[in-house]
Amino acid sequence: MSSHTPAPTPAHVVDPTGGCPHALNADLRARGPVADIVLPGGVPAAVVLGHDALKEFLSHPDVAKDARHCPALNDGTIPADWPLRVFANAQGMHTADGADHRRLRSLVGNAFTARQVERLRPRIEELTAGFLDDLGRAAAEDPDGIADLRTHFALPLPMSVICELLGVDPEHRGRLHDLTYTVIIATDTTPAEVMAAVRELVELLGTIAAARRAAPGDDLTSALIAAREDGGDRLSEAELIGTMRLMLVAGHETTLNLISNAVRALCTHRDQLALVLDGRATWSDVVDETLRWDGPVSWFPFRYPTRDLTLGGTVIPQGTPVLAGYTAAGRDEAFHGPDADRFDVTRPGAARHLSFGQGAHYCVGAPLARLEATIALERLFTRFPDLDLAVPEAELPRQRSFIGNSVEALPVRLVRPVRL
């Protein structure tokens, strides 16, 4: 009898148009907690899908965020105009390690402590009320009583909060969202589209920084500009722009998706909504179960092993660009149990999800995202308890992304239609 080694499973070729990730995640996770993938542009990479493997990976001492640890990004193997290079090239705490990371994080960390964030509650409640008014008006003006919840509520709320924190004037906010979506979220873009958007985004952030330099205010951008290290140095301009970009993107795109995904989950699981409205579960429970069950970020780039790393029985070679599979880990049955695919706001241990990361790079804005989402959902369903999707959930247009995980539009009907 002849014996033969089974052929290795071919690497999964990532679809740049994204779509709902859960079926693909389940398929890949069934093969193991780590999968070899091929990113758009033919770039070999890996994604960590299992909860335990991802938790270990995110806080592993031999995993770096600095792209210097990825030879293919530096030796010409990966072209200079590769669209996903924006995740490696940006300068800020999200691409720094060790002392450099601690220095950059400390400059913004004080603005996002639980105490500082709690001080924002009255303003967030005020903004929420205003945008709910806008949503109601939009529905009232529509002959079918339908309005897009993303356009009128889920987007402007976190965008306004983070822009007020950063000192960004209202006239820039619409363009900033369009640019950050093109640069960071959409993954079906051409190199030329991404390069043009990056240039415009850097230029616009530079304009905003210049305005704050000329007229400093009580905002985070002014504080970053004024910041000195112990040795008396400012942030470099690239670090300033990189930090502003990170705050802006992480401060609104993710919370936009979190609110949208929670609304979709509650509308399609009315029994779970009833538990919250009856006081048998909390809005914090909704937020955590949404973060676990349908998190706002699917596969996030990049980290690089600084040596060959064995994770869940799979070797990830040194220097490989690796993505963190947050949506996959959230439904890992090995960790969350055999009903991990079920949306259950009373689930014990839902808060042990990894959607805010783990270790030194744990999301600095997590307290703010939680506060915004809990206020937004509570006020939305208190004012409009009969709110429902205006089209079947399966027909909602998905984000064209394997990084972001949500829909591009969320048409809702705010009141139950009268049946004649």
Side-chain angles (χ1 to χ4, degrees):
M1 280 179 67
S2 66
S3 64
H4 66 278
T5 305
T9 306
H12 169 73
V13 178
V14 176
D15 180 354
T17 62
C20 184
H22 299 299
L24 171 62
N25 283 338
D27 181 41
L28 292 176
R29 215 173 36 236
R31 306 180 202 172
V34 179
D36 290 328
I37 58 174
V38 180
L39 292 170
V43 174
V47 59
V48 184
L49 306 150
H51 174 98
D52 289 342
L54 183 58
K55 186 174 182 178
E56 180 184 350
F57 178 74
L58 292 174
S59 50
H60 202 289
D62 297 318
V63 172
K65 292 278 271 180
D66 191 320
R68 285 178 300 188
H69 295 281
C70 180
L73 283 165
N74 301 298
D75 63 10
T77 305
I78 296 175
D81 65 353
W82 186 50
L84 292 174
R85 212 178 242 284
V86 294
F87 290 93
N89 287 359
Q91 289 190 43
M93 63 184 176
H94 56 311
T95 53
D97 299 304
D100 219 20
H101 170 252
R102 288 190 292 275
R103 170 180 67 89
L104 292 165
R105 188 177 173 106
S106 70
L107 291 171
V108 300
N110 290 339
F112 294 99
T113 62
R115 179 182 293 177
Q116 286 296 100
V117 165
E118 186 57 35
R119 290 175 57 188
L120 299 173
R121 179 184 290 274
R123 180 58 179 149
I124 295 171
E125 290 175 341
E126 182 184 0
L127 286 165
T128 299
F131 291 125
L132 285 174
D133 290 343
D134 293 347
L135 181 68
R137 276 192 292 272
E141 290 167 5
D142 182 81
D144 298 313
I146 294 169
D148 183 1
L149 187 124
R150 275 177 81 87
T151 301
H152 295 286
F153 184 65
L155 167 60
L157 175 61
M159 189 64 167
S160 296
V161 173
I162 196 64
C163 284
E164 287 186 7
L165 266 177
L166 285 169
V168 176
D169 294 332
E171 66 263 25
H172 296 310
R173 293 175 190 177
R175 189 61 187 149
L176 281 171
H177 170 66
D178 292 343
L179 290 170
T180 56
Y181 185 87
T182 301
V183 171
I184 303 295
I185 304 297
T187 49
D188 65 340
T189 43
T190 65
E193 286 171 328
V194 173
M195 299 290 267
V198 167
R199 277 195 300 272
E200 187 181 344
L201 180 58
V202 168
E203 193 175 300
L204 183 49
L205 291 172
T207 300
I208 293 163
R212 296 280 69 83
R213 261 195 202 96
D218 183 19
D219 59 77
L220 192 51
T221 302
S222 298
L224 289 171
I225 290 167
R228 299 285 198 277
E229 283 187 85
D230 294 340
D233 298 328
R234 293 173 184 267
L235 279 93
S236 71
E237 185 71 8
E239 287 174 338
L240 173 65
I241 298 300
T243 300
M244 290 173 66
R245 184 167 96 182
L246 172 65
M247 294 292 99
L248 191 72
V249 175
H252 91 275
E253 291 283 4
T254 49
T255 310
L256 159 63
N257 284 0
L258 171 56
I259 294 169
S260 301
N261 292 2
V263 170
R264 286 166 46 231
L266 291 169
C267 287
T268 52
H269 299 80
R270 307 298 296 194
D271 59 322
Q272 299 298 301
L273 176 58
L275 290 174
V276 190
L277 294 177
D278 293 347
R280 288 177 285 167
T282 68
W283 293 106
S284 292
D285 295 333
V286 172
V287 169
D288 272 318
E289 180 65 347
T290 302
L291 286 164
R292 180 201 72 81
W293 185 74
D294 202 18
V297 176
S298 191
W299 292 5
F300 195 75
F302 289 117
R303 284 172 164 84
Y304 319 96
T306 57
R307 62 171 175 82
D308 290 358
L309 192 67
T310 303
L311 206 62
T314 300
V315 177
I316 306 176
Q318 177 180 345
T320 301
V322 184
L323 293 88
Y326 293 115
T327 47
R331 296 199 187 189
D332 183 358
E333 294 181 355
F335 183 81
H336 290 290
D339 68 343
D341 269 339
R342 190 162 64 87
F343 181 74
D344 176 8
V345 296
T346 66
R347 178 184 301 276
R352 293 188 296 160
H353 61 78
L354 297 170
S355 288
F356 287 127
Q358 179 76 19
H361 287 274
Y362 183 85
C363 176
V364 72
L368 180 59
R370 287 183 183 283
L371 183 64
E372 288 177 15
T374 49
I375 292 172
L377 294 167
E378 178 183 12
R379 299 300 166 93
L380 175 68
F381 283 101
T382 298
R383 185 175 309 188
F384 305 114
D386 292 329
L387 180 145
D388 209 348
L389 303 181
V391 299
E393 209 266 346
E395 293 177 17
L396 293 170
R398 299 289 313 192
Q399 286 187 327
R400 303 180 313 280
S401 179
F402 57 82
I403 295 171
N405 172 47
S406 194
V407 292
E408 293 207 317
L410 189 53
V412 295
R413 192 177 276 108
L414 301 184
V415 293
R416 194 168 288 161
V418 178
R419 302 280 182 227
L420 298 176

